[in-house]
Amino acid sequence: MNQSNASHFSRIARALHWTMAALIVLMLLLGAGMIAGDPAQYSRYIVWHKSIGVAIFMLAIVRLLYRLRHPAPALPDDLSALQRLAAHGSHVALYGLMLALPLVGWAMLSAGGYPVALLGGLQLPAILAPHAPTYAALRMLHSVLAWSLFALVMLHLAAALHHGWVRRDGVLATMARWRG
Amino acid sequence: MNPDHAPPRREPLRGAAALARLTAIAAVVAAGVGGFTWFAGVLGGRGLSARAIIDTLQGPRPHAGFRRNHAKGICVSGWFDGNGAASRDSRAGFFARQRASVIGRFAEAGPNPYVPDGSAAVRSLALQLTLPDGEQWRTGMNDIPFFPVATPAGFEAQLRAQQPDPETGKPDPAAMSAFIAAHPQAAALGQALKTMPRATDFGSDTYNSVNAFILRDALGGTHAVRWSLRPEQVADPQALADDPNARFERLLQQLDAGPLRWHLMLTLAQPGDAVDDASQPWPADRPTIDAGTLTLTHASGEDVGGCRDIVYDPLVLPDGIEASNDPLLSARSAAYAVSYRRRAGEPPGDSALAGQQAGTHGEAQP
C-alpha cells in the first residue's frame, strides 16, 4: 500500500482502527459463545453477532476508502524486506477478512434458508438461494476464516508489541496514541 | 508536520532486556490464544452447549443425512388462512384475513429415522408459513401438553437418562429414576400422557407450541401466548396397522380422501402464569382465540417434498410475534442449527417414506 510522510495515523484512522478492534474482538467472542456457550443465551448472541457483523462490514468499507486516500505512515527504513512484506501482507489479509467474514456469514444464512434478522427488526434480503450443501460449505468456511482472523489479530498484536517494546521504532505509537 | 508529534524513536533493545520483552509479548499472545481457545470450547466443553446436546441426542452412531431429532418424517403442504380474530392482540400479518402458503412436516420424535410408528412417545408437526410478501413464521409443535423439563440442562439430563446402557441395550432404570426425582414435571407429563385421550393418527392429533411467545399488538402492547393446532378431524377409530410406517400411511390415505384442517388456537396467559417455563401447564380455563385455519392438502416423502432442508427454528418469527424468555426457545434454535450444520454436510439419508405421495387439490388455491 501507499505510504505517506505523516508521522502517525490521523484521528479518524485511529478511531476506525480501535472501534473495529473492539468490535472484532467482541465478534469473535460472540461467535465462539454461540458454539460453545450456554444454549439459553444463543438467541441473544446471534442477533448481536449478525448486527455487529453488518457494522464491521460497513466500517471496513469506510476504512478501506479512507486508507486509499490517506496512506499509512512509512515503516522504519531499517525494517527487513521480509518484515515489510509480512506487514503489508497481513494488513491486506486483515482487510480481506473484515470484508469476507460478514459476506460469508450473510451468504451462509441465505443458503441455509434463514431470514437474516438484525437488531431493531431490520432484515437483510437473501443473497443466495437456499441450498443445504452450499450452507454446509459456507458454514465451514465461516469458521475457517474466523480462526484465520483470530490468528492474524494475535500476530498483529505480537508485531505491534515487538515494534513498541523491543524495536522501539515508533511504529506502535503511530496508532496507539491519544493526542495529535 | 509538527515535530512535537513525531513518534519517539529510541535505540532498540538487545540481549537480556530484549529477551525479557519478547517473553512478555509471548505471554500476552499465549494468554490471548489460550483464553480464546478455552472460551471457544476447543480444549473440551466448558459446560452445556448445543453441540453437547446434539452429541448426546445422536449417540455414538448418528444417522447421517437426517435431522438429529424427529428424524422420521414426511413433508406436507397447504395453506393457512388468518381470520382477523387475533389482530387485536398481534399485528402479525398471519392473523389478518389473508392466506399464507405452508410447507410442513409431520414426524415421530427421536433420532431414529426408521423408528416403527407407535414406539415413539411424541409426534410433531412443524410448519413454515410464508405470506405473499415473503415474511416467514416457523413453528415446531409437539403433541404433548407441556414439556418435561424447564431448561436446556434439564433436557440434556433427560437425554442422558434415556441413553441405552451399552451392556443391556436399554436405558438404566436407576438413571431414569434419578432424573424423574430431580424433575417432577417429567413424572407429571408421564401421568398426563397416560390419562389424556390421545390420537393414534396424525390427522386427529393436537399439536402444541409448548413454549410461550409474546404477541405484540398495533399499539406496542404485549400479550404472552401459547398456541395449539386443534384438529377438525374426529379421532380415528382405526387402530394403527401392524406396519412400521402405519401412522404415515394412514396420513397418506387421509390426504388422498381430502384436505385435513386444524384451527390455530391462541391461549392468552393470565397474570401469574408461567411464561418462561414450558414445563408448567396453564390452567384450562384460560381464554383462547381461534386465529385461523390450517389446511393441508398434500404429503410427499422428504426426497421431493421440500421440507427436508428447512430448519423449523422456533425463533423465525414475524413482526408481531416475539420470543419469550423461555431458555428452551434459544436452546432449540441453537440445537437445530447444530443438527442442520451436520446433516447439510452429509449426503441426504434414505428416508423410510421416500417416494410416497398423496393429496387432492381440495379447494382451489387463490
Side-chain angles (χ1 to χ4, degrees):
Chain A
M1 288 193 198
N2 299 330
Q3 293 186 350
S4 77
N5 298 321
S7 62
H8 55 81
F9 284 97
S10 71
R11 284 173 192 276
I12 292 174
R14 271 148 40 213
L16 282 166
H17 170 272
W18 289 109
T19 304
M20 291 193 71
L23 289 177
I24 288 168
V25 168
L26 183 59
M27 196 62 178
L28 289 166
L29 290 172
L30 283 168
M34 283 159 55
I35 302 290
D38 179 0
Q41 299 302 324
Y42 174 85
S43 59
R44 288 179 187 84
Y45 291 165
I46 193 172
V47 70
W48 280 100
H49 187 84
K50 288 184 288 189
S51 304
I52 294 173
V54 171
I56 289 176
F57 182 73
M58 293 193 302
L59 283 170
I61 291 174
V62 169
R63 191 168 165 197
L64 189 60
L65 293 175
Y66 186 85
R67 174 72 181 263
L68 293 175
R69 281 169 179 72
H70 305 268
L75 289 169
D77 298 334
D78 62 339
L79 217 55
S80 74
L82 190 66
Q83 280 172 307
R84 221 167 262 281
L85 186 69
H88 290 153
S90 64
H91 281 84
V92 170
L94 280 167
Y95 276 95
L97 287 172
M98 285 186 265
L99 292 166
L101 261 163
L103 277 180
V104 169
W106 186 4
M108 166 192 113
L109 290 175
S110 302
Y114 282 101
V116 189
L118 308 176
L119 287 171
L122 293 172
Q123 192 169 319
L124 297 180
I127 51 173
L128 284 181
H131 186 245
T134 304
Y135 172 84
L138 290 172
R139 177 66 191 77
M140 175 62 78
L141 181 62
H142 196 66
S143 285
V144 169
L145 294 182
W147 280 105
S148 305
L149 179 58
F150 173 71
L152 270 174
V153 166
M154 288 293 110
L155 193 68
H156 182 77
L157 173 67
L161 293 179
H162 186 247
H163 281 289
W165 291 358
V166 180
R167 286 182 50 89
R168 305 201 292 182
D169 56 8
V171 169
L172 178 60
T174 60
M175 186 56 86
R177 65 194 295 134
W178 283 109
R179 294 156 160 275
Chain B
M1 260 312 123
N2 184 340
D4 290 348
H5 289 160
R9 289 195 77 145
R10 291 183 286 166
E11 278 302 300
L13 291 178
R14 305 203 187 281
L19 191 63
R21 296 279 179 98
L22 286 171
T23 309
I25 293 169
V28 168
V29 172
V33 171
F36 185 71
T37 47
W38 166 79
F39 187 76
V42 174
L43 313 171
R46 50 177 182 86
L48 184 64
S49 67
R51 211 157 45 181
I53 289 174
I54 295 296
D55 284 342
T56 311
L57 196 51
Q58 71 180 24
R61 283 179 299 280
H63 293 277
F66 288 97
R67 277 167 218 268
R68 288 339 195 222
N69 197 4
H70 297 253
K72 183 182 187 181
I74 197 166
C75 302
V76 287
S77 59
W79 55 85
F80 176 78
D81 293 309
N83 59 20
S87 294
R88 197 171 57 97
D89 295 290
S90 169
R91 64 190 186 209
F94 292 92
F95 298 134
R97 291 175 174 275
Q98 62 175 325
R99 178 166 287 189
S101 65
V102 170
I103 298 179
R105 186 173 180 274
F106 284 104
E108 301 268 332
N112 179 1
Y114 306 108
V115 64
D117 295 359
S119 57
V122 178
R123 275 86 73 186
S124 61
L125 173 56
L127 303 176
Q128 174 181 278
L129 303 90
T130 308
L131 285 176
D133 69 2
E135 190 172 26
Q136 283 195 9
W137 177 17
R138 299 185 197 171
T139 173
M141 293 162 287
N142 287 327
D143 72 342
I144 49 175
F146 55 93
F147 209 63
V149 294
T151 62
F155 184 60
E156 214 266 345
Q158 182 183 24
L159 292 175
R160 281 198 183 284
Q162 288 170 341
Q163 285 292 299
D165 186 316
E167 302 270 307
T168 63
K170 289 186 173 158
D172 176 5
M176 192 38 101
S177 303
F179 165 75
I180 296 276
H183 300 86
Q185 283 309 102
L189 177 63
Q191 200 55 40
L193 291 179
K194 268 186 210 144
T195 52
M196 67 182 239
R198 197 131 174 257
T200 55
D201 64 323
F202 284 117
S204 68
D205 211 351
T206 299
Y207 303 91
N208 305 303
S209 70
V210 181
N211 305 108
F213 294 80
I214 308 296
L215 301 182
R216 191 171 290 278
D217 64 34
L219 299 174
T222 57
H223 314 272
V225 68
R226 288 174 178 167
W227 57 74
S228 298
L229 282 175
R230 197 176 67 193
E232 273 190 9
Q233 293 70 236
V234 295
D236 189 345
Q238 292 180 20
L240 274 190
D242 184 19
D243 178 307
N245 301 326
R247 201 187 327 267
F248 287 96
E249 278 157 13
R250 187 81 191 96
L251 175 71
L252 294 163
Q253 288 167 8
Q254 288 169 334
L255 283 169
D256 271 335
L260 299 172
R261 291 190 179 82
W262 285 260
H263 291 262
L264 181 70
M265 308 302 295
L266 305 179
T267 303
L268 297 175
Q270 299 295 300
D273 288 350
V275 173
D276 301 331
D277 182 347
S279 73
Q280 301 296 332
W282 294 348
D285 63 357
R286 293 293 175 252
T288 59
I289 302 168
D290 182 345
T293 308
L294 172 71
T295 303
L296 297 179
T297 58
H298 287 81
S300 43
E302 288 193 281
D303 47 329
V304 293
C307 72
R308 188 191 66 209
D309 294 339
I310 295 176
V311 182
Y312 288 99
D313 181 332
L315 295 183
V316 175
L317 295 166
D319 180 55
I321 309 178
E322 296 163 16
S324 67
N325 287 321
D326 181 343
L328 290 174
L329 276 175
S330 173
R332 286 174 69 185
S333 192
Y336 294 10
V338 173
S339 167
Y340 180 57
R341 181 185 183 180
R342 292 186 185 179
R343 65 192 167 91
E346 298 160 350
D350 185 14
S351 166
L353 308 157
Q356 300 280 13
Q357 288 280 352
T360 64
H361 285 289
E363 61 197 84
Q365 288 257 22

